[in-house]
């Protein structure tokens, strides 16, 4: 690996930059575009979410970065290294945590990390196996066979393997698929700490609440095309919609005339659910209309749009298009 990658070269603003990236698979039934002109930048130090339905192109994008799939067209730079001109340095800048638990059961964690470090050309004197195992909570299992580790420990060991060559970019491909809640929390606590220390994290996940909670930026792809890329906060603002749930002081059998314009949904006698657009209708106008109808408000709650709403809206648009 080029030593300037981690020592003397200026840090790139973009950890990953893809320009007009395409991948076309050809088979007996014709061609299929797994990626179709994707232009995407991932800032250095970000916790970046890459979301999309099954078959959207997420894994193809990651496999191109890792050098496992050859792109059909476009340009990719990883940590400032062009994937075509400096493939070795570009690949060395990434540590990939796969979804599958691909560990040799007859090796210990210490041995697995040493083998992985050797594959990346890390000299024995510079290997940090003990330090990394301690960081992922496996120091006491360093010399146990991998087959004796629990599922959660194996997940953490995969993260440790990805970090043996000190890559500035960590790629997590569906790391919590089929994982229990406690393990998910442990894993995210560890990865969030790596991110705070400067590691750029690229995450693919089907757990949208995870992406909303963890990621500062999110891209959504569907059918190989980029349909959204923005900060998480800006994406959530795209849906101009809220849900207001009102509990009034008495049973309401029918919608009062003064509230008919809001099309409220009546629930349980005393509850009304109103969906509205804050940009066009301030909540104060709704509350004034409720009082004008002779109703007193006992309780109210508002519900914001979440990432799942955005995801469904954008991917359905892509399908309809």
């Amino acid at each position: 690996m080029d030593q300037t990658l981690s020592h003397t070269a200026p840090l790139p603003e973009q950890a990953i930059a893809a320009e007009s990236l395409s991948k076309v698979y050809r088979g007996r039934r014709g061609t299929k575009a797994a990626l179709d002109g994707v232009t995407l930048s991932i800032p250095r130090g970000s916790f970046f979410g890459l979301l999309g339905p099954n078959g959207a192109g997420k894994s193809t994008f990651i496999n191109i970065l890792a050098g496992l799939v050859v792109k059909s067209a476009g340009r990719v730079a990883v940590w400032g290294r062009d994937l075509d001109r400096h493939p070795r340095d570009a690949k060395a800048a990434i540590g990939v945590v796969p979804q599958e638990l691909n560990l040799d059961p007859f090796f210990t964690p210490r041995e697995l990390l040493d083998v992985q470090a050797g594959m990346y050309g890390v000299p024995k004197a510079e290997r940090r196996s003990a330090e990394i195992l301690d960081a992922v909570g496996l120091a006491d299992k360093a010399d146990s066979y991998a087959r004796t580790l629990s599922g959660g420990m194996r997940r953490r060991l995969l993260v440790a393997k990805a970090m043996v060559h000190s890559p500035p970019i960590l790629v997590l491909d569906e790391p919590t698929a089929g994982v229990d809640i406690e393990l998910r929390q442990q894993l995210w606590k560890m990865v969030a700490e790596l991110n705070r220390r400067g590691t750029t994290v690229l995450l693919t996940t089907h757990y949208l609440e995870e992406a909303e909670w963890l990621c500062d930026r999110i891209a959504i792809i569907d059918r190989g095309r980029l349909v959204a890329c923005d900060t998480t906060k800006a994406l959530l603002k795209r849906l101009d919609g809220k849900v207001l749930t009102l509990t009034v002081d008495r049973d309401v059998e029918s919608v009062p005339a003064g509230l008919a314009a809001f099309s409220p949904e009546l629930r349980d006698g005393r509850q009304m659910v109103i969906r509205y657009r804050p940009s066009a209708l301030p909540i104060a106008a709704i509350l004034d209309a409720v009082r004008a109808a002779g109703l007193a408000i006992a309780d109210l709650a508002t519900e914001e749009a979440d990432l799942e709403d955005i995801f469904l809206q954008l991917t359905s648009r892509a399908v309809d298009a």
Side-chain angles (χ1 to χ4, degrees):
M1 183 179 73
D2 185 350
Q3 294 301 309
T4 61
L5 182 66
S6 56
H7 297 296
T8 62
L11 295 177
E13 291 187 11
Q14 305 299 328
I16 296 170
E19 183 178 345
S20 301
L21 185 62
S22 296
K23 175 59 183 178
V24 177
Y25 290 100
R26 292 177 172 81
R28 294 180 179 178
R29 298 183 179 180
T31 61
K32 178 182 178 182
L35 291 177
D36 187 4
V38 171
T39 296
L40 176 65
S41 294
I42 299 176
R44 183 186 79 244
S46 66
F47 203 129
F48 196 96
L50 182 62
L51 310 180
N54 289 330
K58 304 185 299 296
S59 294
T60 299
F61 184 83
I62 289 174
N63 288 336
I64 289 173
L65 299 179
L68 300 176
V69 170
V70 178
K71 60 184 173 62
S72 301
R75 177 181 174 274
V76 180
V78 180
W79 206 247
R81 268 55 177 184
D82 186 278
L83 189 60
D84 291 328
R85 291 183 292 171
H86 305 287
R88 189 172 181 181
D89 290 343
K91 296 171 189 175
I94 286 185
V96 179
V97 181
Q99 181 176 344
E100 298 79 15
L101 291 171
N102 55 351
L103 296 170
D104 191 315
F106 298 102
F107 278 70
T108 67
R110 191 192 308 277
E111 291 168 341
L112 284 168
L113 265 57
D114 281 342
V115 169
Q116 188 80 354
M119 293 176 65
Y120 277 96
V122 181
K124 288 187 177 181
E126 298 178 16
R127 295 178 188 176
R128 303 180 300 115
S129 298
E131 177 187 339
I132 294 171
L133 288 173
D134 183 59
V136 300
L138 291 176
D140 60 336
K141 300 292 183 179
D143 298 310
S144 302
Y145 286 120
R147 66 176 181 271
T148 67
L149 302 181
S150 68
M153 292 176 180
R154 295 181 189 187
R155 281 284 172 205
R156 283 182 272 159
L157 183 52
L158 286 177
V159 176
K161 279 185 63 180
M163 298 300 295
V164 295
H165 57 298
S166 303
I169 303 168
L170 181 64
V171 178
L172 302 162
D173 188 8
E174 298 285 350
T176 56
V179 171
D180 63 53
I181 294 176
E182 183 178 2
L183 174 57
R184 286 166 63 184
Q185 292 176 341
Q186 292 175 356
L187 183 63
W188 290 136
K189 183 178 179 180
M190 179 182 65
V191 174
E193 179 60 29
L194 289 172
N195 180 244
R196 281 192 290 270
R197 294 178 183 177
T199 301
T200 302
V201 178
L202 171 58
L203 166 70
T204 74
T205 180
H206 282 101
Y207 296 107
L208 300 185
E209 72 279 5
E210 283 185 347
E212 185 174 344
W213 174 54
L214 291 164
C215 301
D216 49 70
R217 295 185 68 85
I218 288 174
I220 299 175
I221 60 175
D222 189 69
R223 295 189 176 187
R225 294 184 179 181
L226 186 70
V227 295
C229 182
D230 212 328
T231 64
T232 306
K233 186 178 295 185
L235 274 177
L236 292 174
K237 286 183 178 179
R238 286 196 185 190
L239 271 189
D240 182 23
K242 280 190 174 183
V243 178
L244 172 64
T245 302
L246 292 170
T247 303
V248 294
D249 61 339
R250 61 179 184 271
D251 289 347
V252 179
E253 295 181 0
S254 60
V255 176
L259 299 177
F262 305 128
S263 302
E265 174 189 342
L266 299 181
R267 293 181 184 173
D268 300 327
R270 297 192 178 193
Q271 268 196 351
M272 290 189 292
V273 179
I274 299 173
R275 292 171 174 79
Y276 70 103
R277 295 170 52 222
S279 64
L281 179 65
I283 189 172
I286 301 175
L287 300 181
D288 288 344
V290 172
R291 296 188 188 99
L295 298 171
I297 300 172
D299 193 17
L300 65 83
T302 58
E303 182 181 337
E304 302 277 355
D306 60 18
L307 190 57
E308 184 175 355
D309 297 320
I310 298 288
F311 181 85
L312 292 173
Q313 184 187 73
L314 291 174
T315 54
S316 65
R317 283 180 182 175
V319 171
D320 293 341

